[in-house]
Amino acid sequence: MRVLQKHGVPATEEMGNYLDISESEVDEDDRPDWEHIIVDFAPKSSVIPNANLDVRTDIGRVLANRFIERHCKRHRAEFWKFPKNRTWDLVRRVHEALEAGGWPDPHIKSISEAFRLKIEKDRGVAMSTHVWSLQSTDPDPDHVPVVGLDDNYRVWRVVPDGSVDGAGMTPDRYYIPPALAGDIPMQRYHWWGAEVVSPVYPAHNQKTYDNIRKVCGILRDHLRIHKPMEVSTGLHVHMGHKHGWTLLHLKKFVTLWTLVEETLINIHRKDRGSPRMAQWCGKLMEKTCLAAAIHNDSQGIPNMYSQLRPMTAPMTQARLRDLMQQYVPVELLSGNQTVFLTEVWEYTTIDELIGGMGGSATADQWGDVMYNRTAARMRISGEKFSEGDDMQTIEIRTMQGTVDAEHIIHWIHVLERVLFYTRRADAATFRDLVQNIQTHVSPNQDLPALLSYLEVPRPTVAFFLSNINRDRDPGTGKEWFVYPDRDRVDWGQPFMVRGYAATHGAQYNFPQQ
């Protein structure tokens, strides 16, 4: 976040999760020349032949203070940037100076040790002070001032993400040029799983898009980021509204997402639709508690999910089914879709619906329970209207991680259309959309038709359907988003180019320049 703050972006880091990158190449143009600073340090102290240990300790501390408070400041070097791996170089410099000054060897050792301990302690204090300073920042002026919004969502911030651990970057994920044969890429760097989180920004807003471009550009101009990114990384988009959600909004969303997610997943990299992603981006009809209850898939625990099915009185049930029929041509649904969505429409409160849409649990071959997360994670609470301490957002988790701002913005444009039909489409308009999807969109095949019926902006459709960004899997016939390197990291040039657009170079910008 220091990189973002330096370039005028309101940003902060979570305390307790700070990664010490003072020895990395971040802000290289700003890094002090510590080698020169250490060589230039010439500590002097009059020899005291009979100095006891307390006196020698005090001398070591005084010399350390002289380095920190005078010498570093004279060189305009902030002490928190002092790299730990140069500590012994500095200690040797003190040892040499004391030796040249005539101090006896036993005294030199104790003074040098006191100097080292003081340097290391004060560096830790300086680093902590610097980290605290990263917490103090004004809110982003472009954020949406939602009532009750946590301060963390008023600025850009970085939080730890243990799921980004590099485990998915197996050797087949790399192309190793002959000149670099034998290199093991994942052992070349210190990897720290992190997630960059934006403030709450308004949809359909040019400033939102400009801010995304600015942050992506800053990160890529100053950090080394793999292209494509580590396979387990994902881009999560939260959809919310300052006026909240109604139960009808959420039923419409679940209906629409259930019907389109099988096709819409093909707008992303092939990895995003793979079985290994099912735990983190599960389908609503497969990985929710309601789905598990319907299919009696309780992993051996009797009635584990049955209480999460709608418990609706017969008269209310009939009324809600009539309401569903106004929005959904049920006769066009498959059998499984009919069973699942009918129960969705029978819920009478938001809390009950969200309980059913929560991720189910799955037992692996050893009997260990794994909890699933759906691709559309609904973090909302309330009765007929959303209220309470939850985030009150729908988190869409399907897209792969990227720092290509144009790609991110195009995906947001797609989700803006989903949001439109969820919140603003009347019964007739919504029903027409569902009818078109069920009649003309085949799962896995008809992404162009789906984007057309959603009325996604033409430039966004062109971006996702361009030959630059699409590839057909010869084994399945499905088409997916693909990067120029066929989704492998070219170890000869593994990092994203500078800028905020195509990660592999300006020649891949769309439309091509």
Side-chain angles (χ1 to χ4, degrees):
M1 288 301 102
R2 288 179 292 176
V3 173
L4 296 180
Q5 286 185 343
K6 175 184 175 183
H7 292 84
V9 175
T12 187
E13 296 187 16
E14 282 196 350
M15 289 300 297
N17 297 302
Y18 180 70
L19 175 66
D20 180 4
I21 53 175
S22 61
E23 297 173 35
S24 74
E25 295 186 24
V26 177
D27 292 334
E28 187 169 2
D29 294 339
D30 229 13
R31 195 186 336 163
D33 183 355
W34 290 110
E35 182 174 358
H36 171 72
I37 293 172
I38 291 172
V39 171
D40 191 51
F41 184 51
K44 295 181 180 180
S45 178
S46 300
V47 177
I48 305 176
N50 298 320
N52 60 30
L53 181 60
D54 289 340
V55 172
R56 299 196 299 270
T57 299
D58 287 342
I59 292 173
R61 292 171 177 171
V62 167
L63 294 179
N65 285 333
R66 191 178 300 170
F67 177 80
I68 297 168
E69 297 175 6
R70 297 183 188 178
H71 194 67
C72 288
K73 288 183 179 179
R74 183 165 65 85
H75 286 273
R76 298 181 180 178
E78 296 174 285
F79 183 57
W80 69 266
K81 295 181 179 180
F82 183 74
K84 289 187 293 186
N85 64 353
R86 301 308 298 266
T87 301
W88 284 105
D89 294 336
L90 181 59
V91 171
R92 279 193 291 270
R93 179 65 187 131
V94 170
H95 189 285
E96 292 168 357
L98 294 174
E99 190 175 52
W103 280 88
D105 188 62
H107 289 190
I108 292 175
K109 290 182 179 178
S110 54
I111 293 174
S112 298
E113 178 64 8
F115 176 88
R116 180 185 66 82
L117 293 173
K118 175 69 171 173
I119 288 292
E120 290 181 347
K121 177 183 177 182
D122 283 19
R123 182 189 179 277
V125 172
M127 180 63 74
S128 296
T129 301
H130 171 68
V131 172
W132 273 109
S133 73
L134 297 178
Q135 316 308 307
S136 303
T137 186
D138 293 330
D140 189 315
D142 298 322
H143 87 283
V144 179
V146 180
V147 175
L149 181 67
D150 190 298
D151 287 344
N152 284 331
Y153 298 103
R154 301 177 192 273
V155 295
W156 289 84
R157 64 194 180 105
V158 63
V159 297
D161 187 344
S163 68
V164 183
D165 56 8
M169 296 303 289
T170 50
D172 61 300
R173 294 279 179 180
Y174 291 89
Y175 165 70
I176 310 294
L180 298 174
D183 262 14
I184 303 177
M186 293 301 289
Q187 296 180 4
R188 284 288 188 179
Y189 297 93
H190 173 81
W191 297 89
W192 186 64
E195 182 176 4
V196 179
V197 184
S198 77
V200 175
Y201 279 139
H204 310 286
N205 187 284
Q206 188 60 44
K207 285 188 176 180
T208 295
Y209 310 143
D210 290 343
N211 286 331
I212 293 172
R213 291 185 179 104
K214 179 179 180 179
V215 168
C216 287
I218 292 171
L219 293 177
R220 283 168 50 180
D221 287 350
H222 294 83
L223 302 176
R224 290 182 172 182
I225 305 173
H226 268 186
K227 57 175 179 63
M229 292 180 67
E230 204 269 0
V231 66
S232 65
T233 59
L235 180 84
H236 300 175
V237 180
H238 287 256
M239 301 191 299
H241 199 283
K242 62 182 179 181
H243 297 309
W245 301 88
T246 67
L247 179 58
L248 179 59
H249 289 153
L250 299 178
K251 290 180 178 179
K252 289 165 64 182
F253 171 79
V254 172
T255 299
L256 180 55
W257 193 261
T258 297
L259 299 180
V260 304
E261 65 176 335
E262 187 75 22
T263 302
L264 199 55
I265 194 65
N266 294 292
I267 208 170
H268 304 306
R269 279 174 68 179
K270 185 165 59 175
D271 288 313
R272 305 307 288 180
S274 66
R276 72 178 295 274
M277 290 304 300
Q279 182 184 356
W280 307 106
C281 296
K283 296 181 177 66
L284 295 182
M285 283 184 54
E286 295 178 3
K287 297 298 182 179
T288 57
C289 295
L290 175 60
I294 290 173
H295 300 297
N296 196 29
D297 183 15
S298 59
Q299 296 296 323
I301 305 175
N303 302 316
M304 180 176 179
Y305 299 115
S306 61
Q307 72 274 18
L308 296 177
R309 300 181 77 168
M311 306 294 181
T312 313
M315 290 185 62
T316 302
Q317 185 182 76
R319 178 178 58 81
L320 292 175
R321 289 188 178 186
D322 287 343
L323 178 64
M324 176 185 179
Q325 188 68 49
Q326 295 177 37
Y327 285 86
V328 183
V330 178
E331 66 278 6
L332 297 179
L333 302 180
S334 69
N336 287 339
Q337 291 171 342
T338 300
V339 172
F340 181 79
L341 291 178
T342 297
E343 296 212 16
V344 166
W345 282 83
E346 289 177 359
Y347 284 110
T348 57
T349 71
I350 289 176
D351 285 336
E352 291 171 353
L353 173 60
I354 299 306
M357 293 301 101
S360 61
T362 304
D364 62 20
Q365 58 182 322
W366 298 283
D368 295 328
V369 176
M370 300 180 297
Y371 291 95
N372 301 304
R373 289 186 179 179
T374 56
R377 187 182 180 196
M378 304 169 69
R379 306 171 76 170
I380 303 170
S381 60
E383 293 288 320
K384 306 300 182 185
F385 299 92
S386 59
E387 59 184 354
D389 296 331
D390 284 310
M391 296 182 70
Q392 311 301 348
T393 65
I394 299 173
E395 178 189 13
I396 305 299
R397 304 163 52 85
T398 54
M399 183 172 160
Q400 70 272 9
T402 187
V403 197
D404 178 346
E406 299 304 319
H407 192 165
I408 294 170
I409 293 167
H410 282 305
W411 176 231
I412 290 173
H413 288 329
V414 175
L415 296 181
E416 286 171 343
R417 296 307 301 163
V418 173
L419 191 61
F420 168 83
Y421 282 101
T422 295
R423 298 190 61 91
R424 298 178 61 184
D426 59 23
T429 302
F430 191 86
R431 184 184 173 91
D432 286 345
L433 173 66
V434 173
Q435 180 170 328
N436 284 326
I437 290 172
Q438 293 301 98
T439 304
H440 302 296
V441 178
S442 301
N444 306 321
Q445 299 295 332
D446 293 328
L447 180 62
L450 175 60
L451 297 181
S452 176
Y453 288 125
L454 288 173
E455 298 181 283
V456 173
R458 288 185 178 181
T460 292
V461 174
F463 173 84
F464 282 115
L465 300 184
S466 166
N467 290 333
I468 300 173
N469 298 325
R470 302 294 289 173
D471 187 47
R472 182 181 296 272
D473 185 331
T476 64
K478 297 181 184 180
E479 288 190 356
W480 301 89
F481 185 93
V482 69
Y483 290 102
D485 49 25
R486 322 315 288 174
D487 294 348
R488 297 174 71 197
V489 177
D490 181 353
W491 195 234
Q493 207 299 80
F495 305 114
M496 294 183 185
V497 300
R498 294 175 183 263
Y500 62 78
T503 56
H504 289 61
Q507 68 271 32
Y508 298 108
N509 287 344
F510 188 86
Q512 285 183 290
Q513 302 297 316

